[in-house]
Amino acid sequence: CSKSTVFVTDMSAPIVVTAQPGAQQMQWMQPPTGPPGCPPGLEYLTQLDQLVIMQQVSLMEVLTSWEVKNKFIITNSMGQQVYYACEESDMCMRQCCGPNRGFIMHITDNNGYEVIRAEREFKCCVGCCWCADGSCGWEMRVEAPVGQVVGYIKQRRSKWKVHLALYDEAHNHLFTTWSPCCPCQGICCRDDVNFPFTDKSERDVVANMAKQWSGLQEMITDADRFSLTFPASLDVKHKAIMIGAVFMIDMMVFETKRTTTTTEAFWEFVLRHRMMIGESEQRQSNNHHYILTCNIYNMAEDLCLSSQRDQEVRR
């Protein structure tokens, strides 16, 4: 994620990171003593009933519209940093696939230990709300600690709204959340966009995720701000799954709107330059720019297949 970030998954190993990027001016929350059986790193969640998840502003993305890896600071209600989250994804997938890319969200504590990992694998031609059940919907796997699955988040079928179901490690249905019909915000509509988490019967609200209006900066940046509230007594594993659901919702609902322009601009650039250079292909067959553009075009065409191979090799 950054040159100053090192992921540590062995909780018995020496601490190698003492600060996270962007956290120099942030007060850190002191880790409490967790109950017996609490997964390492989730002790913070035992006493919390609210988390604020703030996306960091990328100057490069503001100036160039080039989609970069998302980074988040996670704090408690008092503004003390609890976790730091950083996206791992392929550069070509971010530009070509936009919000449909596969990604891994690494969530580390203030000592640099990776305590939660949320992974959504890339799938080609999925995400349609009408046929989202089964293999045609998005799915995220949440591990806490790394290597130990605590739950899954799966997209379910709906007529229009985003519909997600949260499951434990044994695929038992825990919670359900639906998006609003029109999850929009702006100068004239600054109310929170709520995503209530209900029990599996969809009668009782257990927790709530809110997309908060963060001011005029949303008009020039893609820095989102989310609030996640839940009972303090809720199982820390279930809280970890809900944290993963926040990143899932962000990618499916809010990332979609701001990356469409970037993705279209990328393809327009590639195709337009290929067309212009293709007209003079015979005269400029050895031209460096022609070769470079063709390589970019061919790389984009093979993106889906290569990404799936990379995921298989990584596993």
Side-chain angles (χ1 to χ4, degrees):
C1 295
S2 171
K3 292 183 180 180
S4 59
T5 304
V6 179
F7 296 123
V8 182
T9 57
D10 184 1
M11 302 302 287
S12 62
I15 297 175
V16 297
V17 177
T18 58
Q20 293 288 7
Q24 290 78 4
Q25 300 179 358
M26 184 76 65
Q27 183 181 2
W28 292 353
M29 176 182 174
Q30 296 300 319
T33 302
C38 179
L42 300 189
E43 299 91 351
Y44 296 91
L45 301 178
T46 57
Q47 300 178 0
L48 296 178
D49 60 1
Q50 183 181 32
L51 291 172
V52 178
I53 303 173
M54 299 175 290
Q55 185 172 1
Q56 294 185 288
V57 177
S58 170
L59 183 60
M60 176 180 177
E61 190 168 353
V62 173
L63 298 178
T64 65
S65 294
W66 185 263
E67 184 69 19
V68 300
K69 298 177 182 178
N70 293 325
K71 300 176 182 179
F72 300 85
I73 292 177
I74 304 176
T75 69
N76 58 20
S77 58
M78 297 182 292
Q80 297 174 326
Q81 180 171 332
V82 182
Y83 298 121
Y84 177 82
C86 181
E87 173 190 349
E88 176 190 346
S89 59
D90 183 78
M91 183 271 293
C92 293
M93 293 189 69
R94 291 197 302 274
Q95 312 313 319
C96 300
C97 301
N100 295 321
R101 63 183 180 268
F103 68 93
I104 301 175
M105 194 63 69
H106 301 278
I107 304 173
T108 61
D109 64 11
N110 295 320
N111 291 320
Y113 292 122
E114 185 177 8
V115 296
I116 304 174
R117 176 177 294 182
E119 179 177 3
R120 191 186 78 171
E121 296 184 355
F122 173 76
K123 293 183 179 180
C124 186
C125 300
V126 302
C128 175
C129 60
W130 295 343
C131 53
D133 287 341
S135 60
C136 293
W138 291 114
E139 179 176 342
M140 174 179 281
R141 182 178 66 256
V142 181
E143 301 176 0
V146 177
Q148 181 175 338
V149 177
V150 295
Y152 302 88
I153 305 159
K154 300 181 181 181
Q155 182 186 9
R156 311 305 297 176
R157 185 180 303 170
S158 67
K159 295 180 180 179
W160 177 256
K161 303 177 182 179
V162 174
H163 179 199
L164 299 179
L166 283 62
Y167 301 85
D168 63 12
E169 65 275 17
H171 295 276
N172 297 313
H173 191 181
L174 299 173
F175 312 110
T176 298
T177 184
W178 290 80
S179 74
C181 182
C182 183
C184 300
Q185 281 183 321
I187 293 294
C188 300
C189 184
R190 292 173 287 181
D191 294 337
D192 291 349
V193 181
N194 293 304
F195 293 77
F197 291 91
T198 62
D199 58 12
K200 61 182 181 181
S201 66
E202 301 189 21
R203 295 178 181 177
D204 299 325
V205 176
V206 179
N208 185 70
M209 189 210 87
K211 164 67 170 63
Q212 298 178 334
W213 172 250
S214 55
L216 296 178
Q217 70 173 9
E218 290 204 9
M219 301 182 64
I220 58 175
T221 73
D222 64 354
D224 291 329
R225 179 187 174 96
F226 301 97
S227 173
L228 179 62
T229 57
F230 37 62
S233 59
L234 189 68
D235 192 320
V236 293
K237 294 182 180 180
H238 298 172
K239 294 179 181 180
I241 301 172
M242 289 183 178
I243 293 175
V246 173
F247 298 119
M248 182 86 153
I249 293 172
D250 178 44
M251 191 66 69
M252 294 179 63
V253 180
F254 301 104
E255 189 84 4
T256 301
K257 298 177 182 179
R258 62 174 179 261
T259 57
T260 300
T261 302
T262 303
T263 305
E264 292 178 350
F266 175 81
W267 281 105
E268 182 179 359
F269 167 80
V270 172
L271 296 177
R272 180 180 297 178
H273 281 263
R274 182 175 176 86
M275 183 184 303
M276 294 174 59
I277 298 176
E279 294 175 353
S280 56
E281 181 176 355
Q282 297 299 326
R283 301 190 304 271
Q284 304 179 17
S285 58
N286 296 324
N287 186 279
H288 172 72
H289 297 290
Y290 172 75
I291 297 174
L292 178 60
T293 305
C294 288
N295 288 337
I296 295 175
Y297 182 81
N298 293 332
M299 178 177 59
E301 288 183 324
D302 297 337
L303 176 63
C304 294
L305 182 59
S306 64
S307 299
Q308 291 177 337
R309 286 200 301 266
D310 291 343
Q311 291 180 355
E312 293 177 357
V313 172
R314 187 170 66 248
R315 288 183 176 278

